Amino acid sequence: HVQLVESGGASVQVGGSLRLSCAYAGHSFSASCMAWFRQAPGKERDGVAAILTNRTDSTFIADSVKGRFTISLDKAQNMMYLEMDFLRLEDTGMYTCAADPEPMVVNGMAQCKYNYFGQGTQVTVS
């Protein structure tokens, strides 16, 4: 079965950097949707960044973190990363790795519906 395990969360000062890691297993993930979500205290969980694991490696970055966060894959190691730079107070939250191993494809576009989530890793910016 699909397993997602995050690591790398920490307490960091404003303006600092962190790299989160997500180890994934239990599926080929050859043409999957993978993403990072975050949930701030008292708020709903929001998508931060997403990436397709097919040959395109297409990415999506939320406007709130564009230019500061980068999502990437190491397919050989079955790892996904979120590089976070210039961290702000509002970046504080629980960061969760998510996957849709076999998204439906409509008109050549993957329809990502995330049905697997990890336990999360806490990022605190102060």
Side-chain angles (χ1 to χ4, degrees):
H1 64 284
V2 172
Q3 291 182 304
L4 304 169
V5 180
E6 305 92 337
S7 61
S11 294
V12 63
Q13 290 188 332
V14 170
S17 297
L18 274 179
R19 188 176 80 157
L20 304 182
S21 301
C22 173
Y24 54 89
H27 191 275
S28 67
F29 291 100
S30 59
S32 303
C33 300
M34 299 200 68
W36 287 97
F37 286 78
R38 73 180 176 193
Q39 186 167 20
K43 295 188 176 181
E44 293 186 355
R45 183 167 59 189
D46 290 326
V48 173
I51 189 166
L52 297 180
T53 65
N54 60 16
R55 287 177 294 176
T56 68
D57 286 352
S58 298
T59 61
F60 161 82
I61 304 291
D63 286 343
S64 59
V65 302
K66 196 166 290 183
R68 301 187 298 118
F69 289 14
T70 304
I71 187 170
S72 63
L73 294 169
D74 182 338
K75 295 176 184 178
Q77 299 295 324
N78 281 10
M79 296 290 294
M80 178 175 68
Y81 301 102
L82 185 68
E83 182 71 38
M84 306 186 295
D85 299 314
F86 306 107
L87 283 162
R88 303 171 180 171
L89 293 174
E90 56 265 35
D91 294 321
T92 293
M94 181 68 74
Y95 284 72
T96 305
C97 171
D100 178 356
E102 298 181 12
M104 186 177 296
V105 177
V106 177
N107 294 328
M109 294 190 64
Q111 308 299 304
C112 302
K113 295 186 185 297
Y114 297 97
N115 44 6
Y116 293 96
F117 292 85
Q119 293 298 308
T121 186
Q122 178 67 36
V123 172
T124 302
V125 185
S126 61

